[in-house]
Amino acid sequence: MNLSTDCQSPVIVALDFNDINTAKSLVSQLKPNQCRLKVGKEMFTLLGPEWVKYLVGEGFDVFLDLKFHDIPNTVNKAVAAAAKLGVWMVNVHASGGGDMIKAAKEACLDADKSPLLTAVTILTSMDERQFVQVYSNEISIKEQVQKLALLAQNSGADGVVCSAKEAVMLRKIVNKEFQLVTPGIRPAGASLDDQKRVMTPANAISAGVDYLVIGRPITQSENPSLSLMQINDSLKG
Ligand code: C5P
């Protein structure tokens, strides 16, 4: 059984706060049927599993974005521990290999409430210069993203975390049900912050994206609930 609330919105709000009170105040302004929540390495390291359980207890679908990358047995155990928290989605680095992704998926399937498993292809912070420091210069970033997305799919992952700019390309090669989860989303006119290559929510959905990870345009807004509502409204029809 997959764990899911009745949330109809594709928006996943990235909770990137360094203190619990500010984070709780933001969460209190959001509703589980209007968005999902993402807990990343900062908040998890700061507040641990209790924070995740709190958010799940508040009724939210939680994406635990810890990007596991280790030997298959360790990742299997880590994903099993994440699933016990009741999270809706967990992720790994696709570059950890097919056996590691399969081990992660097995942990999801063994759980009482199976989270979705997504895999990060190439971090969008990687440019060509950094890419060739790690990979061969005979392959492009796009080709590597395709290769890792197919590896993830063939190894049982439910989707990938990628750039919205890669969505059209990936939609042509992956199954219809394979989920594309993308950060780097900015409503028209919003501050780009440190994001370089952004897409509006509506354009990302048109490009074939399933879930939009959005942080500061909502979390730093004077009225987070209104900003979220405007984004959700921009996706209607
Ligand atoms: O505030 P903003 O909308 O830029 O937040 C985006 C979120 O997505 C942050 O939690 C960030 O760490 C995450 N992320 C990203 N780019 C990636 C992977 C994750 O911005 N390639």
Side-chain angles (χ1 to χ4, degrees), residues 64 71 173 203:
L64 187 60
I71 58 172
I173 62 164
N203 286 346

Side-chain angles (χ1 to χ4, degrees), residues 1-19:
M1 178 181 80
N2 269 337
L3 179 72
S4 185
T5 65
D6 58 357
C7 182
Q8 298 299 315
S9 167
V11 175
I12 303 174
V13 178
L15 293 178
D16 295 316
F17 293 102
N18 60 11
D19 80 285

Side-chain angles (χ1 to χ4, degrees), residues 179-197:
Q179 312 279 295
L180 304 184
V181 181
T182 65
I185 303 295
R186 287 292 178 272
S191 161
L192 298 192
D193 305 304
D194 53 354
Q195 298 283 6
K196 303 267 185 316
R197 296 162 62 235

Side-chain angles (χ1 to χ4, degrees), residues 22-227:
T22 321
K24 274 192 170 172
S25 155
L26 185 272
V27 171
S28 71
Q29 297 171 65
L30 305 174
K31 293 200 174 65
N33 63 349
Q34 294 167 344
C35 66
R36 295 176 171 84
L37 302 176
K38 177 172 92 67
V39 173
K41 288 190 171 90
E42 180 185 13
M43 292 214 82
F44 191 78
T45 306
L46 199 65
L47 302 171
E50 290 308 315
W51 175 235
V52 177
K53 285 194 224 167
Y54 169 79
L55 299 171
V56 172
E58 291 293 299
F60 287 94
D61 280 348
V62 176
F63 171 18
L64 187 60
D65 177 22
L66 296 181
K67 300 184 180 73
F68 295 128
H69 188 169
D70 211 312
I71 58 172
N73 182 56
T74 301
V75 169
N76 174 277
K77 298 282 180 351
V79 170
K84 278 199 184 131
L85 300 177
V87 300
W88 159 76
M89 181 182 282
V90 288
N91 63 354
V92 297
H93 271 285
S95 56
D99 287 353
M100 189 205 74
I101 298 168
K102 281 181 197 157
K105 183 64 183 180
E106 276 165 24
C108 291
L109 294 175
D110 286 347
D112 289 341
K113 292 173 177 173
S114 301
L116 293 170
L117 175 69
T118 50
V120 176
T121 54
I122 298 291
L123 291 171
T124 49
S125 54
M126 291 277 255
D127 56 15
E128 291 288 346
R129 181 186 60 85
Q130 293 183 84
F131 181 76
V132 296
Q133 289 171 348
V134 183
Y135 294 93
S136 153
N137 57 9
E138 312 219 318
I139 187 166
S140 69
I141 292 183
K142 278 188 171 177
E143 286 166 333
Q144 186 66 16
V145 166
Q146 292 188 19
K147 185 175 170 182
L148 289 172
L150 290 175
L151 173 70
Q153 179 173 268
N154 295 335
S155 306
D158 299 291
V160 284
V161 181
C162 62
S163 159
K165 304 278 178 189
E166 293 156 358
V168 170
M169 167 186 89
L170 289 178
R171 269 283 153 245
K172 289 183 188 151
I173 62 164
V174 296
N175 297 334
K176 203 158 67 62
E177 315 75 53
F178 198 65
Q179 312 279 295
L180 304 184
V181 181
T182 65
I185 303 295
R186 287 292 178 272
S191 161
L192 298 192
D193 305 304
D194 53 354
Q195 298 283 6
K196 303 267 185 316
R197 296 162 62 235
V198 302
M199 232 191 232
T200 65
N203 286 346
I205 295 292
S206 303
V209 171
D210 298 283
Y211 293 106
L212 311 165
V213 175
I214 307 179
R216 288 160 289 182
I218 294 169
T219 60
Q220 304 302 316
S221 160
E222 280 185 12
N223 189 337
S225 144
L226 177 65
S227 298

